[in-house]
Amino acid sequence: MGEQSKSLSELGLTAGSGREVRVTGLSVDSRHVKDGHLFAALPGSKVHGAEFVPFALRMGAAAVLTDRDGAAMIRDQLGDVALIVAEDPRQTLALAAALWFEVQPQICVAVTGTNGKTSVASFTRQIWRALGLEAVNLGTTGVEGAWEAPLAHTTPEPITLHRTLAEAARNGITHAAMEASSHGLDQRRLDGVSLTAAAFTNFTQDHLDYHASLDEYFAAKAGLFGRVLGEDGTAVINIDDARGPDMLQIAESRGHDILTVGRRADAALRVVSQRFDPTGQDLRFEWNGDAQQVRLGLIGGFQAENVLVAAGLAIASGIEARDVFATLPKLTTVRGRMQLVATRENGAAVFVDYAHTPAALETALKALRPHTMGRLIVVYGAGGDRDKGKRPLMGAAASDHADVRIVTDDNPRSEDPGAIRSQILKSDPDAIEVGDRAEAILRGVDALEPGDTLLIAGKGHETGQTVGDTVYPFDDAEQASVAVAALDGRVA
Ligand SMILES: CC(=O)N[C@H]1[C@@H](OP(=O)(O)OP(=O)(O)OC[C@H]2O[C@@H](n3ccc(=O)[nH]c3=O)[C@H](O)[C@@H]2O)O[C@H](CO)[C@@H](O)[C@@H]1O[C@H](C)C(=O)N[C@@H](C)C(=O)N[C@H](CCC(=O)O)C(=O)O
Ligand SMILES: Nc1ncnc2c1ncn2[C@@H]1O[C@H](COP(=O)(O)OP(=O)(O)OP(=O)(O)O)[C@@H](O)[C@H]1O
Ligand SMILES: N[C@H](CCC[C@H](N)C(=O)O)C(=O)O
Ligand SMILES: [Mg+2]
């Protein structure tokens, strides 16, 4: 796409002067501006992007998109550079990015919710792939499926998002399932994506470092149905969640087709019962009242909800329900989500899970109980520079649902790791405190007796421990196998 250029009107933009300019690319960061680019000077959480306009102009920007405040800051600096003033420049940028990159996979679906987005997006992609469709999922674990690539964010900013979708479409990928993070929705990153269906998993506390209140956090998520999903789209909603009915109402008011999931008697995809064993579960469910039974090779009761939400998205994408259900036994664990990573010689199992919210920790621990005859041991911590309110709630969840708890570090970032641990320990005072995560895992593995289970929570698929600005290589799954090998006298 190197030499391409487009006029402002081809990008749906109008300069204040009415002048038509051709641009050679889009940038949201002045440091990435190239000759002829449109620079989106966005109002930021720390600084207004308009501060960087002089630099963007030196880099060759041909047009600037900003809001009224930004325009007031830069009007006399622009010379003959085109100025586009928008009410909501983030949304305008998202729509322009969609037009710039031109194509996206024919079927795109998105999933929001506090927990379960990566799992649902991966399961949806796995269902499509099992039916021979070219499909990817995009989110926390990068681009996965027919094509693999890392992504810096769960929901990338619109330029990266549309570049990725266009590259996928040009390489023959017809189906994409993406995660819609609350940050991404709040910042309109997905507003240019044309969605066939969208899903809601659940809503509990997270990210109150970013959103001013739980209501604002919910409103951001609700934007997926209230704004992004078009009126002809299908809304797949978990109505068991306390906020499910609110989301349902929003979707109904937009005229979406509705597909409900849950245990409630009126759910279209209804969980009837589950039977757990060491390698997975048998799931009985109903589809519009018709009984179905499938074997799932997945640990954790909550995975059945995620699987049915994914099945709902696949049905909404135009596939026969019967064909969708036939693929479910083939679904495999998502990396770092209830992943069995090691087993001790005495049979005790070690799981890694990405539970990093109070509700996720509770869910993950409760999910392991039916698979555990002995004690449930957990190694956990909480991230630095993130929602501080989560910390005592995570302590309470662990103390309520695990028999032995080891509190350790999980990406302390710029904070004092000891201070984070003590905020957790306030509500889990009997937990053992071991700051060093590798040592904490070793202690957890060492404590395992026959019939016990160890859950290592919080980092899932992550491959680093961020302390200050430094990311040290760290992988929970690898540390668990090293610990088991060391203690059982085997080579890792
Ligand atoms: C908190 C947050 O989401 N910030 C996003 C936001 O930046 P901001 O408004 O805070 O930026 P700012 O620092 O105030 O700067 C304002 C503007 O000036 C620009 N700038 C800044 C410096 C410069 O030299 N030149 C320049 O042009 C910036 O690009 C920005 O547009 O807008 C930027 C441009 O779109 C994003 O890159 C940035 O994401 C940052 C990198 C980020 O880390 N976001 C995380 C928290 C995030 O989005 N996470 C979610 C949630 C994951 C989950 O569910 O757990 C995700 O989807 O990954
Ligand atoms: N349906 C669910 N209900 C409750 N907890 C869940 C559910 N699905 C997953 N979890 C828990 O949340 C953790 C994260 O799951 P997943 O990565 O799928 O969520 P996510 O929404 O993508 O998270 P993130 O916002 O960090 O990207 C899991 O490891 C598990 O502990
Ligand atoms: N996307 C989430 C992941 C948190 C994972 C946990 N390991 C942590 O660092 O807090 C966040 O950035 O809040
Ligand atoms: Mg995710």
Side-chain angles (χ1 to χ4, degrees), residues 28-31 39 42-49 52 90 117 153-155 157 181 183-184 187 189 207 210:
V28 73
D29 188 313
S30 56
R31 290 162 289 195
F39 172 55
L42 304 173
S45 50
K46 296 193 206 88
V47 54
H48 200 297
F52 305 100
R90 286 188 184 270
K117 298 182 293 296
H153 290 102
T154 290
T155 302
E157 43 73 27
S181 69
H183 299 71
Q187 294 170 21
R189 295 179 198 162
H207 302 307
Y210 178 87

Side-chain angles (χ1 to χ4, degrees), residues 376-395:
L376 200 44
I377 305 174
V378 64
V379 169
Y380 74 108
D385 303 335
R386 295 290 185 270
D387 188 346
K388 291 188 168 60
K390 284 199 291 189
R391 297 169 190 171
L393 300 174
M394 289 177 76

